[in-house]
C-alpha cells in the first residue's frame, strides 16, 4: 500500500479514464457528496466515470446526481480504475460489493477517518479534515476543475452532513472557508440544510409524540432517560433508523449531564445510547455493560426487562455523577 | 440625521470616550454580541464604556460580559456619548429607556435592519449584512482592534443567532468567512451553539410533550397545525417565549407546505404563527385575518374559539394550496 500526497492523487486522476467510484453502504451525505462530486469533476474533464453504492441514493440526496453527464457515465463492468471515497474499512462497502474488498482491487482510497484500515493499492488519507468532501475540494483544486453549482451542491452536502451544519466539534475554520466558497459557486445550501436538518417524516414526528411521554429524570435532574418500545415503532410505522434525532433529546434538557435512550430490539433487550456532558465519560458507563464508544457518546446492550435495565443504568449514572 | 460610512463611524468611536452602548429590549444574541463586543473593543483602547439594556442579560449569553474591564466600565449617568446596536426602532429600546428615545439623544446608531427607522444623530446602516455583529467586526477592523477570544465569542454569538447557525436564508459567504476568522481567534463556538440551539428548559420539553399531541394534518397532509393552550402553559410553568422552537414543528413535517401554531392568549383568542414553503405566501394567508409578515413566516390574531379558528384557517390553507 502506497501513501499518497494530494498532488500525487490529483496527477493519477488526471491520467486515468473509466473510473468507478465507490461509496460506503448506508450512504450519508459525505460519501455521496464525495462520490458524485468527484464523478462530475471527471466528466468535466471528458473522462468516463460512474458511482457505485451497495444501497440506493437517499431521496433527500438525489440532487447529487444532477450534474452527471449521461454519455460519460459508465456501469461498473466497464471500469478500468476503482476509487473509494469516505470508506474507512473495506467491509463498509457492503456484502454485495465484496469483489472490490479483496486483492487491492481498489486503486485509490480517499478517506478522512483516523480509524482508516488500509485496503487499497494507494491511499490519500487526510485524517485532520472534518469531512471527506474537504479533501475532494482540494483534489479538484489541484486538478484545476471548475466548481460548478452542481459540484458545489455535492461538496456542501458532505461538509454540512459531517459537521452537523457547523455545530459538531470537528468543525474547522477551513470548513467555514469552504462553505463560503461553495455558496459563492452556487450551492443550493438553503435547501440542502432544510432537507438534512429540518424535515422529519410523519412517522418520526409520531414516534417523538410517543417517546417524549416516556422521558423521566433521575439523580435530581442531572440524568434523563427515554424509552422507545417495539410497540411504539409498530404503531407509527417507524424504523429504528428514524430514532436517530430522538437519541439526543434527553441530554438536550437544561441541567442534564447524562442522557440515555433505550431502544427495544425485536429479539428483546434494549440497545442503549448514552450522551454526556464534558464531566462524565459515556464510554465508561457503557463499558460496565460490555459496550463502548466515545467520551461523550457511547452505546451498549442490556438484555433485561425495562425496569431492571433502567435500575442498572441509573445506578451507574449515580456513581458517575458522584465522581464528576 | 447623518448617514455614515464605516470608516467615519470608526473614526468617531476612536475620538470618543465615556460611551454608553444600548441594546434592544428582550435582547437576542446579535444585540448582546454587538453591544458587549464593541464595549470590550473600547476598553481595549483604554476608553471608558458600558452597556445598557432594558432587560437582563439572558443566562446563556452571560459569557458576553467576560472580557469587560471593570475599571473602565461606566454607569449610564456618566456617559458622554450614546451608541445603539442592532436597534431598528427607538421604541425597541423599551419603555424604561425612554429618555434615550427622544431628541436624537443617541449619537450613533449601528444597525443592519432594512426596516430601520432613524432616531439617532448619525446612522451606520449596513442592511445587506446578515447580522449586526458582521458590522461590528468590520468596525473593529477599521479601529485596528485585536479580536480577543472574548470579543470573538460576542461576535460569533451574534452571527450564529441571526443566521440560525448558518441555516437561515440571510446567511452569506461573508458570514462563513467571519465564522472562520472568529474560530481562529479563539471563539468558544461549540459551547455557544450548544447553548443557543441544543439546550431546552424542562418546561420547554414538557410543553413539547403536550403540544405535539395536538398536531393535526389537513388538506391531504399538505397543511398541519398545532395548538398551545393557556392551560398547557400553566401546567408546565412555561412562558409564551418558550414556544419559539415549537412554532417551526408543523412545517418541518415531510410533505407539509403550510404549518400553523395557534397560541392561546391569556385574554382569549389565538396568536397564530404561519410558516410556509416557497409556493405559498404566509403573509397573504395572515393578511386575511388582519395580520402580516414575511412570505415564508407571518402571523395574525384570531379572536374565536379554537374549533372556529382552525376552521377559518384551514379554509384559507385550502384556497392557498389550490393556487400553489
Amino acid at each position: 500500500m502506497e501513501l499518497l500526497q494530494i498532488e500525487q492523487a490529483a496527477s493519477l486522476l488526471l491520467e486515468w479514464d473509466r473510473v468507478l467510484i465507490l461509496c460506503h453502504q448506508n450512504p450519508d451525505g459525505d460519501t455521496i457528496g464525495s462520490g458524485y462530486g468527484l464523478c462530475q469533476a471527471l466528466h468535466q474533464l471528458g473522462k468516463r466515470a460512474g458511482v457505485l453504492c451497495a444501497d440506493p441514493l437517499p431521496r433527500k440526496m438525489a440532487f447529487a446526481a444532477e450534474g452527471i453527464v449521461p454519455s460519460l457515465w459508465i456501469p461498473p463492468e466497464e471500469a478500468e480504475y476503482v476509487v473509494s471515497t469516505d470508506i474507512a474499512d473495506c467491509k463498509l462497502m457492503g456484502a454485495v460489493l465484496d469483489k472490490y474488498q479483496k486483492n487491492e482491487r481498489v486503486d485509490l482510497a480517499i478517506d478522512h477517518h483516523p480509524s482508516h484500515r488500509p485496503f487499497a493499492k494507494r491511499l490519500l488519507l487526510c485524517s485532520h479534515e472534518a469531512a471527506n468532501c474537504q479533501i475532494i475540494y482540494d483534489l479538484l483544486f489541484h486538478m484545476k476543475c471548475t466548481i460548478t453549482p452542481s459540484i458545489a451542491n455535492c461538496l456542501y452536502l458532505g461538509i454540512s452532513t459531517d459537521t452537523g451544519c457547523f455545530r459538531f466539534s470537528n468543525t474547522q475554520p477551513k470548513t467555514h472557508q469552504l462553505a463560503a466558497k461553495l455558496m459563492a459557486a452556487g450551492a443550493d445550501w438553503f435547501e440542502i440544510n432544510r432537507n438534512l436538518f429540518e424535515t422529519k417524516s410523519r412517522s418520526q414526528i409520531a414516534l417523538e409524540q410517543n417517546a417524549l411521554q416516556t422521558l423521566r429524570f433521575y439523580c435530581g435532574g442531572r440524568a434523563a432517560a427515554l424509552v422507545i418500545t417495539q410497540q411504539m415503532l409498530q404503531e407509527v410505522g417507524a424504523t429504528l433508523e428514524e430514532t436517530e434525532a430522538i437519541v439526543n433529546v434527553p441530554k438536550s434538557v437544561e441541567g442534564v449531564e447524562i442522557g440515555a435512550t433505550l431502544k427495544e430490539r425485536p429479539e428483546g433487550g434494549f440497545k442503549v445510547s448514552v450522551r454526556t456532558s464534558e464531566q462524565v465519560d459515556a464510554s465508561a458507563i457503557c463499558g460496565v455493560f460490555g459496550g463502548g464508544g466515545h467520551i461523550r457518546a457511547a452505546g451498549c446492550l442490556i438484555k433485561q426487562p425495562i425496569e431492571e435495565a433502567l435500575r442498572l443504568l441509573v445506578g451507574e449514572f449515580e456513581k458517575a455523577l458522584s465522581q464528576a
Side-chain angles (χ1 to χ4, degrees), chain A residues 215-218 221-226 250-251 253 256 258-261 317:
Chain A
L215 183 66
R216 296 286 178 277
F217 296 92
Y218 305 94
R222 296 175 70 192
L226 189 134
K251 172 68 190 66
V253 183
V256 171
I258 308 177
T261 303
F317 295 168

Side-chain angles (χ1 to χ4, degrees), chain A residues 221-236:
Chain A
R222 296 175 70 192
L226 189 134
V227 180
I228 297 169
T229 63
Q230 280 294 316
Q231 196 192 338
M232 281 183 203
L233 291 171
Q234 284 156 16
E235 267 176 23
V236 302

Side-chain angles (χ1 to χ4, degrees), chain A residues 150-165:
Chain A
S150 58
I151 291 178
N153 280 345
C154 287
L155 303 186
Y156 190 97
L157 170 67
I159 285 173
S160 186
T161 297
D162 264 25
T163 63
C165 203

